[in-house]
């Protein structure tokens, strides 16, 4: 239904399920970038996408430190 770069998750901004799109990553995360944007309200979320646990942890720590 959606392209690989889109997912449907609960949006805290819209208070309902919305389609999120992964924007072009400027931080070097590549396809494992945890950043997603709500197509409806534009809120940015860090979403736990299926990646290696160690990689996800590193990405999370990087994001919090930035
Ligand atoms: Zn990124
Ligand atoms: Zn939203």
């Amino acid at each position: 239904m959606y392209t690989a770069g889109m997912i449907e998750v609960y949006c805290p901004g819209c208070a309902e399920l919305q389609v999120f799109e992964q924007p072009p990553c400027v931080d070097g995360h590549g396809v494992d970038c945890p950043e997603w944007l709500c197509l409806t309200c534009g809120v940015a979320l860090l979403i736990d996408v299926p990646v290696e646990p160690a990689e996800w942890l590193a990405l999370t720590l990087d994001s919090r430190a930035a």
Side-chain angles (χ1 to χ4, degrees):
M1 177 178 288
Y2 302 115
T3 68
M6 299 175 77
I7 59 174
E8 190 175 43
V9 296
Y10 179 83
C11 176
C14 300
E16 62 184 334
L17 281 176
Q18 294 292 356
V19 176
F20 278 67
E21 180 180 56
Q22 194 164 41
C25 179
V26 295
D27 299 324
H29 300 143
V31 296
D32 290 336
C33 183
E35 297 175 8
W36 295 80
L37 294 178
C38 175
L39 294 184
T40 302
C41 73
V43 71
L45 293 182
L46 295 181
I47 297 173
D48 189 358
V49 294
V51 297
E52 294 296 322
E55 289 185 29
W56 168 242
L57 179 59
L59 292 173
T60 304
L61 293 177
D62 283 348
S63 298
R64 288 176 180 170

XYZ file of all heavy atoms in Angstrom:
495
model
N 0.842 -1.203 0.000
C 0.000 0.000 0.000
C 0.874 1.249 0.000
O 0.641 2.203 -0.709
C -0.918 -0.029 1.221
C -1.791 1.218 1.338
S -2.908 1.132 2.752
C -4.077 -0.102 2.176
N 1.923 1.214 0.822
C 2.823 2.347 0.896
C 4.172 1.972 0.296
O 4.510 0.811 0.171
C 3.021 2.799 2.346
C 1.732 3.162 3.024
C 1.270 2.420 4.093
C 0.985 4.255 2.573
C 0.086 2.754 4.719
C -0.204 4.580 3.196
C -0.655 3.834 4.267
O -1.821 4.155 4.883
N 4.940 2.992 -0.040
C 6.286 2.727 -0.522
C 7.170 2.340 0.653
O 6.782 2.464 1.812
C 6.873 3.969 -1.210
O 7.080 4.982 -0.216
C 5.945 4.503 -2.276
N 8.357 1.886 0.375
C 9.271 1.447 1.423
C 9.637 2.593 2.354
O 9.986 2.379 3.496
C 10.532 0.861 0.797
N 9.549 3.816 1.865
C 9.926 4.965 2.674
C 8.780 5.559 3.450
O 8.893 6.683 3.938
N 7.682 4.802 3.552
C 6.530 5.321 4.279
C 6.017 4.265 5.251
O 5.995 3.084 4.953
C 5.411 5.717 3.304
C 5.838 6.804 2.328
S 4.576 7.159 1.087
C 3.436 8.131 2.069
N 5.578 4.728 6.438
C 4.988 3.818 7.412
C 3.773 4.490 8.027
O 3.601 5.713 7.915
C 5.991 3.443 8.523
C 6.474 4.707 9.241
C 7.163 2.652 7.975
C 7.338 4.408 10.442
N 2.939 3.699 8.660
C 1.772 4.255 9.327
C 1.900 3.979 10.824
O 1.953 2.827 11.244
C 0.488 3.628 8.779
C -0.761 4.337 9.270
C -2.016 3.776 8.616
O -2.123 2.546 8.493
O -2.886 4.558 8.241
N 1.954 5.039 11.613
C 2.109 4.911 13.056
C 1.238 5.952 13.746
O 0.721 6.877 13.104
C 3.574 5.095 13.493
C 4.467 4.012 12.926
C 4.082 6.464 13.099
N 1.129 5.831 15.061
C 0.352 6.797 15.832
C 1.117 8.115 15.912
O 2.277 8.159 16.305
C 0.093 6.258 17.238
C -0.688 7.228 18.092
C -2.080 7.285 18.012
C -0.035 8.096 18.966
C -2.798 8.177 18.793
C -0.748 8.987 19.755
C -2.132 9.025 19.659
O -2.840 9.902 20.423
N 0.453 9.193 15.537
C 1.067 10.515 15.576
C 0.561 11.282 16.796
O -0.649 11.486 16.940
C 0.733 11.288 14.305
S 1.370 12.982 14.346
N 1.472 11.711 17.676
C 1.060 12.479 18.859
C 0.535 13.864 18.489
O -0.226 14.467 19.248
C 2.341 12.563 19.698
C 3.447 12.428 18.708
C 2.917 11.472 17.644
N 0.942 14.369 17.326
C 0.468 15.680 16.897
C -0.964 15.630 16.402
O -1.780 16.519 16.673
N -1.288 14.573 15.662
C -2.626 14.400 15.085
C -3.539 13.611 16.026
O -4.750 13.608 15.857
C -2.536 13.666 13.756
S -1.541 14.524 12.516
N -2.952 12.915 17.004
C -3.688 12.071 17.939
C -4.435 10.951 17.226
O -5.521 10.553 17.624
C -4.647 12.902 18.797
N -3.848 10.461 16.139
C -4.407 9.312 15.431
C -3.352 8.713 14.513
O -2.283 9.296 14.325
C -5.640 9.729 14.632
C -5.349 10.764 13.568
C -6.628 11.214 12.874
O -7.586 10.441 12.848
O -6.656 12.339 12.357
N -3.676 7.574 13.926
C -2.748 6.956 12.984
C -2.565 7.848 11.771
O -3.539 8.354 11.202
C -3.265 5.585 12.546
C -3.051 4.431 13.531
C -3.701 3.168 12.976
C -1.572 4.190 13.784
N -1.307 8.048 11.399
C -1.009 8.843 10.218
C 0.125 8.197 9.432
O 0.884 7.396 9.967
C -0.581 10.270 10.616
C -1.673 11.098 11.259
C -2.797 11.455 10.285
O -2.755 11.151 9.102
N -3.819 12.097 10.818
N 0.245 8.579 8.182
C 1.346 8.094 7.361
C 2.567 8.968 7.607
O 2.479 10.197 7.564
C 0.969 8.129 5.867
C 2.167 7.700 5.005
C -0.218 7.213 5.609
N 3.671 8.320 7.898
C 4.931 9.021 8.101
C 5.870 8.712 6.938
O 5.915 7.601 6.427
C 5.593 8.584 9.411
C 5.031 9.295 10.621
C 3.726 9.082 11.022
C 5.828 10.173 11.346
C 3.210 9.735 12.138
C 5.321 10.828 12.468
C 4.015 10.612 12.864
N 6.623 9.732 6.556
C 7.583 9.596 5.470
C 8.979 9.841 6.016
O 9.186 10.717 6.845
C 7.260 10.618 4.376
C 8.197 10.555 3.192
C 7.819 11.587 2.148
O 7.748 12.781 2.507
O 7.577 11.219 0.990
N 9.929 9.042 5.531
C 11.306 9.224 5.965
C 11.966 10.290 5.092
O 12.087 10.123 3.885
C 12.058 7.907 5.855
C 13.386 7.928 6.606
C 13.921 6.533 6.824
O 13.860 5.692 5.961
N 14.442 6.301 8.011
N 12.360 11.406 5.692
C 12.973 12.480 4.914
C 14.400 12.130 4.550
O 14.990 11.240 5.157
C 12.932 13.664 5.888
C 13.066 13.031 7.233
C 12.309 11.720 7.127
N 14.968 12.831 3.585
C 16.382 12.616 3.266
C 17.236 12.859 4.500
O 17.110 13.894 5.147
C 16.662 13.671 2.190
C 15.328 13.967 1.584
C 14.351 13.835 2.734
N 18.070 11.879 4.838
C 18.873 11.991 6.057
C 20.100 12.847 5.809
O 20.804 12.667 4.820
C 19.292 10.594 6.521
S 20.306 10.655 8.015
N 20.307 13.788 6.735
C 21.485 14.662 6.624
C 22.531 14.325 7.678
O 23.523 15.017 7.821
C 21.083 16.148 6.757
C 20.194 16.556 5.594
C 20.403 16.407 8.084
N 22.268 13.241 8.433
C 23.158 12.886 9.526
C 23.964 11.621 9.258
O 24.625 11.102 10.151
C 22.349 12.692 10.827
C 21.625 13.963 11.223
O 22.203 15.042 11.009
O 20.501 13.879 11.731
N 23.870 11.098 8.050
C 24.666 9.929 7.711
C 24.089 8.613 8.180
O 24.787 7.612 8.211
N 22.813 8.590 8.549
C 22.202 7.344 8.994
C 21.893 6.412 7.824
O 21.765 5.216 8.010
C 20.893 7.618 9.748
C 21.083 8.459 10.972
N 20.179 9.411 11.362
C 22.091 8.494 11.869
C 20.637 9.996 12.475
N 21.787 9.464 12.799
N 21.713 6.980 6.651
C 21.350 6.150 5.508
C 19.964 5.567 5.676
O 19.060 6.209 6.215
N 19.818 4.310 5.245
C 18.500 3.670 5.282
C 18.055 3.365 6.711
O 16.902 3.050 6.951
C 18.486 2.375 4.460
C 18.722 2.685 2.994
C 19.517 1.390 4.980
N 18.974 3.430 7.670
C 18.629 3.148 9.062
C 18.248 4.405 9.829
O 18.110 4.386 11.043
C 19.810 2.478 9.774
C 20.036 1.056 9.273
O 19.070 0.466 8.760
O 21.153 0.563 9.389
N 18.068 5.514 9.137
C 17.721 6.765 9.806
C 16.409 6.605 10.584
O 15.424 6.126 10.046
C 17.576 7.881 8.773
S 17.243 9.472 9.541
N 16.407 6.989 11.865
C 15.208 6.834 12.702
C 14.238 8.002 12.589
O 13.206 8.013 13.249
C 15.800 6.756 14.116
C 16.999 7.649 14.050
C 17.567 7.459 12.646
N 14.553 8.968 11.768
C 13.733 10.163 11.705
C 12.602 10.005 10.691
O 12.826 9.632 9.541
C 14.596 11.371 11.318
C 15.656 11.673 12.352
C 16.577 12.793 11.902
O 16.305 13.415 10.871
O 17.576 13.027 12.589
N 11.374 10.294 11.139
C 10.215 10.207 10.270
C 9.372 11.457 10.449
O 9.276 12.003 11.546
C 9.386 8.967 10.614
C 10.113 7.680 10.342
C 11.053 7.092 11.136
C 9.980 6.841 9.187
N 11.500 5.932 10.548
C 10.857 5.753 9.355
C 9.185 6.909 8.034
C 10.972 4.744 8.408
C 9.303 5.883 7.095
C 10.187 4.823 7.288
N 8.748 11.900 9.371
C 7.911 13.090 9.415
C 6.463 12.723 9.126
O 6.169 12.010 8.163
C 8.385 14.117 8.367
C 9.765 14.720 8.587
C 10.094 15.669 7.426
C 9.845 15.470 9.908
N 5.541 13.264 9.941
C 4.123 13.078 9.686
C 3.729 13.893 8.458
O 4.000 15.093 8.393
C 3.314 13.535 10.902
S 1.535 13.477 10.616
N 3.102 13.236 7.499
C 2.716 13.941 6.267
C 1.562 14.901 6.513
O 1.297 15.783 5.709
C 2.310 12.932 5.184
C 3.442 12.040 4.676
C 2.937 11.154 3.546
C 4.625 12.860 4.207
N 0.860 14.736 7.624
C -0.306 15.570 7.899
C 0.056 16.825 8.688
O -0.287 17.934 8.302
C -1.364 14.757 8.666
O -1.716 13.619 7.888
C -2.609 15.601 8.930
N 0.783 16.661 9.806
C 1.096 17.815 10.645
C 2.575 18.175 10.614
O 2.957 19.234 11.099
C 0.622 17.578 12.075
S 1.639 16.400 12.989
N 3.403 17.295 10.052
C 4.813 17.627 9.893
C 5.667 17.380 11.120
O 6.850 17.699 11.118
N 5.097 16.797 12.186
C 5.884 16.522 13.378
C 6.955 15.477 13.055
O 6.730 14.582 12.254
C 4.992 16.046 14.538
C 4.460 14.649 14.296
C 5.764 16.092 15.858
N 8.122 15.628 13.650
C 9.216 14.689 13.433
C 9.311 13.741 14.621
O 9.295 14.169 15.765
C 10.527 15.445 13.266
N 9.382 12.429 14.317
C 9.509 11.427 15.369
C 10.736 10.567 15.109
O 11.147 10.376 13.966
C 8.283 10.519 15.393
C 6.961 11.135 15.808
C 5.896 10.043 15.820
C 7.050 11.798 17.164
N 11.314 10.060 16.211
C 12.333 9.033 16.091
C 11.644 7.702 16.326
O 11.189 7.409 17.421
C 13.446 9.249 17.125
C 14.254 10.533 16.945
C 15.345 10.609 18.012
C 14.875 10.613 15.564
N 11.522 6.897 15.287
C 10.748 5.671 15.337
C 11.677 4.474 15.264
O 12.604 4.433 14.457
C 9.728 5.641 14.177
C 8.746 6.803 14.348
C 9.004 4.301 14.141
C 7.801 6.969 13.185
N 11.386 3.496 16.125
C 12.210 2.305 16.188
C 11.934 1.400 14.996
O 11.109 0.506 15.053
C 11.926 1.573 17.501
C 12.902 0.434 17.735
O 13.767 0.200 16.860
O 12.797 -0.205 18.775
N 12.618 1.663 13.917
C 12.457 0.841 12.729
C 13.281 -0.432 12.880
O 14.199 -0.485 13.694
C 12.900 1.601 11.462
C 11.967 2.772 11.208
C 14.324 2.069 11.597
N 12.946 -1.488 12.138
C 13.655 -2.762 12.270
C 15.105 -2.668 11.803
O 15.415 -2.834 10.628
C 12.858 -3.710 11.367
C 11.565 -3.033 11.116
C 11.854 -1.560 11.195
N 15.987 -2.397 12.716
C 17.415 -2.392 12.421
C 18.109 -3.245 13.464
O 17.495 -3.691 14.422
C 18.008 -0.970 12.425
C 17.366 -0.128 11.322
C 17.821 -0.320 13.777
N 19.389 -3.456 13.303
C 20.139 -4.193 14.314
C 20.056 -3.456 15.645
O 20.245 -2.238 15.688
C 21.606 -4.316 13.879
C 21.799 -5.166 12.640
C 21.389 -6.610 12.890
O 21.643 -7.120 13.995
O 20.808 -7.225 11.979
N 19.773 -4.167 16.741
C 19.613 -3.518 18.052
C 20.788 -2.634 18.426
O 20.600 -1.536 18.939
C 19.487 -4.705 19.010
C 18.905 -5.789 18.164
C 19.508 -5.596 16.793
N 21.993 -3.087 18.187
C 23.172 -2.301 18.528
C 23.191 -0.999 17.727
O 23.525 0.059 18.242
C 24.440 -3.100 18.269
N 22.821 -1.083 16.464
C 22.789 0.110 15.628
C 21.726 1.077 16.121
O 21.938 2.279 16.181
C 22.484 -0.256 14.173
C 23.632 -0.978 13.489
C 23.312 -1.208 12.020
O 22.560 -0.397 11.446
O 23.789 -2.191 11.456
N 20.570 0.537 16.462
C 19.489 1.389 16.928
C 19.892 2.104 18.211
O 19.651 3.283 18.387
C 18.224 0.562 17.139
C 17.170 1.312 17.876
C 16.631 1.007 19.089
C 16.512 2.515 17.452
N 15.697 1.942 19.435
C 15.610 2.882 18.465
C 16.638 3.319 16.312
C 14.801 4.019 18.371
C 15.826 4.458 16.229
C 14.934 4.795 17.232
N 20.540 1.391 19.124
C 20.968 1.998 20.380
C 21.956 3.129 20.095
O 21.853 4.217 20.662
C 21.619 0.944 21.275
C 22.129 1.463 22.634
C 20.978 2.066 23.425
C 22.787 0.346 23.417
N 22.886 2.887 19.193
C 23.874 3.902 18.864
C 23.203 5.124 18.258
O 23.527 6.263 18.588
C 24.904 3.330 17.884
N 22.229 4.898 17.375
C 21.517 5.999 16.753
C 20.762 6.796 17.797
O 20.732 8.020 17.769
C 20.547 5.476 15.692
C 21.191 4.862 14.447
C 20.111 4.229 13.579
C 21.946 5.921 13.668
N 20.144 6.104 18.750
C 19.382 6.777 19.790
C 20.287 7.647 20.657
O 19.982 8.790 20.953
C 18.659 5.753 20.683
O 17.844 4.936 19.852
C 17.798 6.437 21.717
N 21.432 7.086 21.018
C 22.372 7.848 21.850
C 22.907 9.043 21.082
O 23.031 10.134 21.636
C 23.513 6.937 22.285
C 23.093 5.817 23.258
C 24.283 4.922 23.568
C 22.511 6.399 24.542
N 23.188 8.861 19.803
C 23.671 9.980 18.984
C 22.652 11.088 18.941
O 22.979 12.266 19.074
C 23.942 9.496 17.545
C 25.258 8.721 17.459
O 26.032 8.765 18.422
O 25.484 8.097 16.419
N 21.384 10.724 18.780
C 20.343 11.718 18.663
C 20.185 12.511 19.961
O 19.996 13.710 19.964
C 19.015 11.052 18.309
O 19.121 10.413 17.063
N 20.275 11.804 21.091
C 20.108 12.478 22.371
C 21.285 13.376 22.685
O 21.164 14.381 23.342
C 19.942 11.439 23.480
C 18.581 10.764 23.414
C 18.450 9.667 24.447
N 17.126 9.041 24.357
C 16.790 7.921 25.003
N 17.672 7.314 25.754
N 15.574 7.432 24.888
N 22.460 13.011 22.206
C 23.662 13.788 22.503
C 23.724 15.040 21.632
O 24.338 16.021 21.995
C 24.915 12.933 22.283
N 23.064 14.996 20.484
C 23.166 16.100 19.528
C 22.433 17.348 20.046
O 21.464 17.226 20.748
C 22.585 15.698 18.181
Zn 19.177 10.420 9.972
Zn 0.667 14.293 12.589
